[in-house]
């Protein structure tokens, strides 16, 4: 009798183990591939940064638009970037938009840019875009704030997601040689009805709190540092109704960058940057990954469009120390063009005759 019970127990135990390993949620964690924070404009990428605390017109549309209030000008901008790893080439990421300064205190604009992405390996490609309306307000000579809101959409193997909302709050401080910026962003959540062809997927992307500090050592040289906290503990990956919340250690959810800019000519800036990011892995670890970048900003045509047409270009290498599998070192190249227009003077004094 005891032997019969033992045989039955072994059989039941084997069936339970087999059922457990075949359930959808056992495969769910392996399919959470993670993604990386996108940098936006070529100027910001040349400094390996998001442009949170930079008070340069080439940086602010994709970085921190609250700084636009200190320029008092109108801006239009467009850019693109591509990446390559081993013998594979990733899709081109686009960004751009415009900003209009209505009064010395109030400005509005629109922008579109990537927020998160992953391109390698190619069967795990992912990109999250947002298009936002921007409002900024200059509180006084030292402080400015802004808010951006708009729809976001993602693309994975199998097609595009439903629309969600991306909400971003921005703060800027500028005094003489010092600039400080803060950005708080909630990218929202998207749903895929045909993920990998037949799967239902809903994911919420990690929120972000960022601070950037720029200090001008001389009229030609500045240093810039940035720190980000990505709230991966608030992210979620739900496949066919079964949720996965990656348990990454909180101490690994911080990353940042350090950059240097040098004005070699009146209209030419040489830029260098280094950064530390973290690649989410299926083993529940945020794998540290390091990158370096170099770029240049230069005036292309003076006073042809507004106050001039400027161009920026960058080259970046991510994964200078080989990251864990399946991530691989990536090389990115991008460019950006933008033009600046003076705001019209209110009630101008008529010329004397």
């Amino acid at each position: 009798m005891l032997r019969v019970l033992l045989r039955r127990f072994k059989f039941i135990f084997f069936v339970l183990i087999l059922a457990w390993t075949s359930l959808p949620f056992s495969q769910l964690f392996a399919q959470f591939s993670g993604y990386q924070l996108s940098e936006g404009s070529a100027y910001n990428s040349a400094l390996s940064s998001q442009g949170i605390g930079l008070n340069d017109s080439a940086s602010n549309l994709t970085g921190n638009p609250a700084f636009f209030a200190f320029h008092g000008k109108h801006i239009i901008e467009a850019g693109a970037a591509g990446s390559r790893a081993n013998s594979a080439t990733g899709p081109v990421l686009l960004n751009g938009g415009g900003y209009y300064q209505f009064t010395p205190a109030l400005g509005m604009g629109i922008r579109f840019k990537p927020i998160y992405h992953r391109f390698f390996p190619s069967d795990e490609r992912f990109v999250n875009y947002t298009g936002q309306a921007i409002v900024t307000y200059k509180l006084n000579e030292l402080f400015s704030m802004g808010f951006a809101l708009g729809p976001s959409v993602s693309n994975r193997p199998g097609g595009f997601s439903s629309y969600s909302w991306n909400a971003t709050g921005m703060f800027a401080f500028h005094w003489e040689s010092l600039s400080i910026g803060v950005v708080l962003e909630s990218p929202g959540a998207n749903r895929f009805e045909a993920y990998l062809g037949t799967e239902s997927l809903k994911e919420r992307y990690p929120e972000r709190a960022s601070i950037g500090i720029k200090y001008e050592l001389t009229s030609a040289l500045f240093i810039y540092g940035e720190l980000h906290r990505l709230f991966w503990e608030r992210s979620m990956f739900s496949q066919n109704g079964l949720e996965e919340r990656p348990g990454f250690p909180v101490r690994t959810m911080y990353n940042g960058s350090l950059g240097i800019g040098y004005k070699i000519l009146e209209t030419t800036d040489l830029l260098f940057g280094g950064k530390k990011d973290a690649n989410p892995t299926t083993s529940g670890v945020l794998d540290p990954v390091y990158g370096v970048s170099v770029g240049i900003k230069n005036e292309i045509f003076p006073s042809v469009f507004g106050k001039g047409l400027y161009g920026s270009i960058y080259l970046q290498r991510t994964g200078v120390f080989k990251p864990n599998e399946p991530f691989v070192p990536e090389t990115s190249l991008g460019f950006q063009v933008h033009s600046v227009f003076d705001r019209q003077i209110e009630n101008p004094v008529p010329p004397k005759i």
Side-chain angles (χ1 to χ4, degrees), residues 329-349:
E330 299 179 26
T331 301
S332 302
L333 176 67
F335 72 92
Q336 163 195 359
V337 292
H338 83 282
S339 188
V340 180
F341 300 82
D342 275 337
R343 188 175 63 84
Q344 295 295 320
I345 301 175
E346 297 178 358
N347 301 320
V349 178

Side-chain angles (χ1 to χ4, degrees), residues 76 299-310 338-341:
I76 56 172
E299 189 176 42
I300 302 175
F301 297 115
S303 303
V304 173
F305 301 95
K307 286 297 180 179
L309 183 66
Y310 297 84
H338 83 282
S339 188
V340 180
F341 300 82

Side-chain angles (χ1 to χ4, degrees), residues 57 61 68 73-77 97-100 338-341:
S57 60
L61 189 66
F68 275 140
K73 299 180 183 297
H74 315 311
I75 307 288
I76 56 172
E77 178 180 306
Y99 176 85
Y100 192 90
H338 83 282
S339 188
V340 180
F341 300 82

Side-chain angles (χ1 to χ4, degrees), residues 29 32-37 116 206 228-233 235 246-255 276-290 323-324 327:
F29 190 70
F32 176 75
S33 57
Y35 19 79
Q36 302 143 350
L37 191 62
Y116 289 104
H228 308 278
R229 166 66 155 96
L230 271 69
F231 293 85
W232 282 102
E233 69 269 32
S235 64
F248 303 124
V250 172
R251 67 180 184 277
T252 63
M253 298 183 190
Y254 294 87
N255 55 59
K276 172 191 172 292
D277 281 335
N279 289 333
T281 64
T282 56
S283 60
V285 174
L286 284 169
D287 177 38
V289 58
Y290 300 88
N324 290 336
F327 291 91

Side-chain angles (χ1 to χ4, degrees), residues 45-301:
S45 298
L47 290 165
S48 295
S49 77
Q50 295 286 324
I52 304 301
L54 294 170
N55 63 335
D56 193 291
S57 60
S59 164
N60 298 149
L61 189 66
T62 60
N64 188 344
F67 279 105
F68 275 140
F70 297 112
H71 303 312
K73 299 180 183 297
H74 315 311
I75 307 288
I76 56 172
E77 178 180 306
S83 57
R84 186 173 179 82
N86 295 336
S87 58
T89 301
V92 175
L93 293 176
L94 303 175
N95 64 83
Y99 176 85
Y100 192 90
Q101 190 75 35
F102 286 94
T103 71
L106 178 66
M108 297 183 183
I110 57 172
R111 68 177 180 182
F112 66 93
K113 66 169 190 170
I115 304 298
Y116 289 104
H117 76 274
R118 181 176 179 182
F119 294 147
F120 308 104
S122 58
D123 58 349
E124 295 180 358
R125 286 185 176 180
F126 162 86
V127 61
N128 172 249
Y129 263 98
T130 186
Q132 295 178 309
I134 305 166
V135 178
T136 68
Y137 187 78
K138 188 176 181 181
L139 301 172
N140 52 46
E141 294 304 314
L142 297 179
F143 294 95
S144 177
M145 63 183 296
F147 184 75
L149 178 66
S152 70
V153 66
S154 299
N155 179 259
R156 281 187 176 276
F160 288 91
S161 70
S162 60
Y163 288 93
S164 183
W165 291 99
N166 182 305
T168 308
M170 301 156 286
F171 305 88
F173 169 84
H174 179 63
W175 178 65
E176 296 184 353
S177 299
L178 179 64
S179 298
I180 301 175
V182 175
V183 170
L184 307 173
E185 181 178 48
S186 176
N190 291 115
R191 182 184 299 276
F192 298 81
E193 299 299 339
Y195 173 57
L196 298 176
T198 59
E199 304 294 299
S200 174
L201 171 66
K202 181 181 179 181
E203 56 185 339
R204 182 168 63 243
Y205 312 115
E207 294 152 348
R208 173 175 61 105
S210 305
I211 183 172
I213 302 175
K214 173 186 175 182
Y215 186 76
E216 298 175 2
L217 299 172
T218 68
S219 59
L221 178 67
F222 72 83
I223 58 174
Y224 177 66
E226 210 168 74
L227 179 66
H228 308 278
R229 166 66 155 96
L230 271 69
F231 293 85
W232 282 102
E233 69 269 32
R234 294 178 57 83
S235 64
M236 178 269 294
F237 185 94
S238 174
Q239 185 176 342
N240 295 331
L242 299 174
E243 291 189 3
E244 174 65 37
R245 297 177 185 269
F248 303 124
V250 172
R251 67 180 184 277
T252 63
M253 298 183 190
Y254 294 87
N255 55 59
S257 64
L258 183 65
I260 299 174
Y262 182 69
K263 189 178 292 293
I264 55 179
L265 295 172
E266 183 62 30
T267 58
T268 305
D269 295 344
L270 190 59
L271 309 166
F272 302 93
K275 68 175 180 176
K276 172 191 172 292
D277 281 335
N279 289 333
T281 64
T282 56
S283 60
V285 174
L286 284 169
D287 177 38
V289 58
Y290 300 88
V292 292
S293 57
V294 61
I296 190 170
K297 170 195 168 186
N298 189 44
E299 189 176 42
I300 302 175
F301 297 115

